[in-house]
Amino acid sequence: MPALEKVSIIGSGNWGSAIAKIIGSNAARHTDQFDLTVRQWVFEETVDGQNLTDIINTKHENVKYLKGIALPHNVVAIPDVVKACEGATLLVFVVPHQFIHGICEKMKGHLAPNARAISLIKGLEITADGTRIFSEEISRTLDIPCAALSGANIANEVALEKFCESTIGCTNLEDGLIFKRLFDTPYFRIAVVQDYVGVQLCGALKNVVAVGAGFSDGLGYGSNTKAAIIRLGLMEMRKFGQTFFGDAVQTETFFESCGAADLITTCNGGRNRKVAEAFVLTGKPLDVLEAELLNGQKLQGTLTAQEVNQFLTARNMTHEFPLFSTVYRIAYEGVSPEMITVDI
């Protein structure tokens, strides 16, 4: 009988806690394949005078990031990332992308020899010099294969077991099916594709489009306008992938949950849309609204818009992506939000 997979979740915010509920339940359900104990690295914080890890391990609830949702008792919160990953064979990364490199450096040499990882970090890092896909950063730093998961998955709805789909991108289909068994439930339906680049590209660029949708909502433009922004945004997402990644990105991926579905749900209910709407309605700076509205979470769409603009400007190609460029100009250059329907 093959050895059981030892699962470690790296991260414990809103999305990480929702995923811990799924993984903990599936580890208990599939004891033929997964070790019952699921370790979760939790960045230690003090909540009402108590360590957050102690609260999670006694109350089985992340009271800061996913209040009111019970976590399985086999999910164990650990404040030391090295102890959390020691001997792990399956690693689930769900942390803010700016911390990935430092966390992986600490984990080096502490994993099982056959370890594999999956990134739930939506997006990629885009600079004037090029792009950096987070699954590849994890793979390069830890010298292990890394898949990616992304989809139309608002964390609170997943935690409440409202039906949705998600997409795993994994070049090794055998590993992809192991990850599918780790995540798949009747309410969280998983599809596996080999296009891990396209899965992550969609997860990044849809946030830029969602900011545009939020500007439209703040202006009171209605459903027709938002539908147009979503369609134009999907076209620019696809064009960006084809132009800069070529055959590594497959058109079919944009019609998986990680593509069109995630774009739609983010433009209707995500944090980027919410803050962009408030930006129009209140006139407050984006960083102020982020602090007021997101309970410690980060606004991703405006940062990605800035990164995409730097990347396109370096190639003299901003005119070929008018929606992406207009979102950037409204967010950072003081252009009127009304231009969201003029310059696209």
Side-chain angles (χ1 to χ4, degrees):
M1 182 176 176
L4 296 176
E5 303 281 5
K6 295 184 177 181
V7 183
S8 291
I9 303 169
I10 309 301
S12 59
N14 184 240
W15 184 216
S17 299
I19 281 299
K21 177 184 174 182
I22 289 174
I23 291 175
S25 297
N26 277 347
R29 184 177 298 117
H30 303 303
T31 53
D32 61 317
Q33 189 165 16
F34 305 113
D35 190 278
L36 179 61
T37 299
V38 174
R39 290 171 290 170
Q40 182 172 30
W41 175 62
V42 175
F43 180 78
E44 193 69 281
E45 300 178 67
T46 302
V47 180
D48 295 330
Q50 289 184 275
N51 289 335
L52 182 57
T53 52
D54 292 335
I55 296 172
I56 292 172
N57 288 333
T58 55
K59 294 186 176 180
H60 305 290
E61 178 187 349
N62 188 327
V63 295
K64 179 166 184 180
Y65 294 108
L66 199 63
K67 193 173 181 62
I69 300 296
L71 299 177
H73 287 211
N74 59 318
V75 174
V76 179
I78 300 173
D80 184 332
V81 71
V82 172
K83 291 180 180 177
C85 75
E86 194 81 49
T89 62
L90 295 179
L91 293 146
V92 179
F93 283 88
V94 55
V95 293
H97 69 78
Q98 61 265 39
F99 302 124
I100 274 292
H101 185 74
I103 289 170
C104 287
E105 285 291 337
K106 292 179 181 179
M107 294 168 62
K108 275 184 178 180
H110 298 285
L111 309 178
N114 63 330
R116 292 91 79 210
I118 187 165
S119 170
L120 275 63
I121 304 161
K122 285 196 173 181
L124 60 159
E125 187 173 285
I126 305 169
T127 67
D129 296 328
T131 59
R132 184 167 65 103
I133 296 171
F134 297 125
S135 70
E136 292 180 349
E137 173 77 1
I138 293 166
S139 182
R140 184 165 48 246
T141 307
L142 294 175
D143 194 26
I144 60 175
C146 185
L149 179 148
S150 187
N153 309 141
I154 292 175
N156 287 359
E157 294 183 13
V158 173
L160 292 170
E161 302 188 10
K162 296 181 178 180
F163 176 81
C164 66
E165 301 174 303
S166 201
T167 311
I168 288 175
C170 187
T171 53
N172 183 320
L173 285 179
E174 184 177 341
D175 284 348
L177 292 175
I178 293 172
F179 283 121
K180 178 175 180 175
R181 200 171 194 216
L182 185 64
F183 289 99
D184 191 75
T185 75
Y187 66 88
F188 192 66
R189 188 82 51 80
I190 298 293
V192 179
V193 301
Q194 291 182 290
D195 179 12
Y196 72 98
V197 176
V199 168
Q200 292 170 93
L201 183 69
C202 288
L205 297 180
K206 55 93 180 181
N207 287 324
V208 180
V209 185
V211 173
F215 292 152
S216 177
D217 284 347
L219 293 163
Y221 282 174
S223 298
N224 291 346
T225 304
K226 186 187 281 190
I229 289 170
I230 291 172
R231 188 194 73 82
L232 292 166
L234 183 61
M235 295 295 287
E236 289 195 15
M237 288 166 57
R238 180 171 172 265
K239 182 178 180 180
F240 192 97
Q242 290 179 327
T243 303
F244 301 114
F245 293 91
D247 293 340
V249 174
Q250 300 167 7
T251 294
E252 292 81 4
T253 304
F254 291 88
F255 298 98
E256 293 287 345
S257 180
C258 63
D262 195 14
L263 178 62
I264 291 167
T265 198
T266 306
C267 287
N268 285 320
R271 74 185 78 158
N272 295 283
R273 187 220 64 81
K274 177 181 180 179
V275 173
E277 179 184 41
F279 175 77
V280 176
L281 294 174
T282 68
K284 293 181 180 180
L286 288 164
D287 58 341
V288 172
L289 292 168
E290 179 184 66
E292 288 180 356
L293 300 176
L294 298 186
N295 190 34
Q297 294 179 294
K298 294 299 180 183
L299 187 63
Q300 299 160 310
T302 51
L303 175 60
T304 304
Q306 186 179 45
E307 293 174 346
V308 167
N309 186 263
Q310 291 172 347
F311 180 86
L312 294 174
T313 298
R315 290 154 182 78
N316 195 28
M317 294 180 69
T318 55
H319 61 285
E320 295 194 29
F321 297 86
L323 178 62
F324 291 169
S325 299
T326 300
V327 168
Y328 167 78
R329 290 169 60 222
I330 294 170
Y332 290 100
E333 295 185 347
V335 170
S336 171
E338 283 87 351
M339 297 307 289
I340 195 63
T341 59
V342 176
D343 285 348
I344 61 175

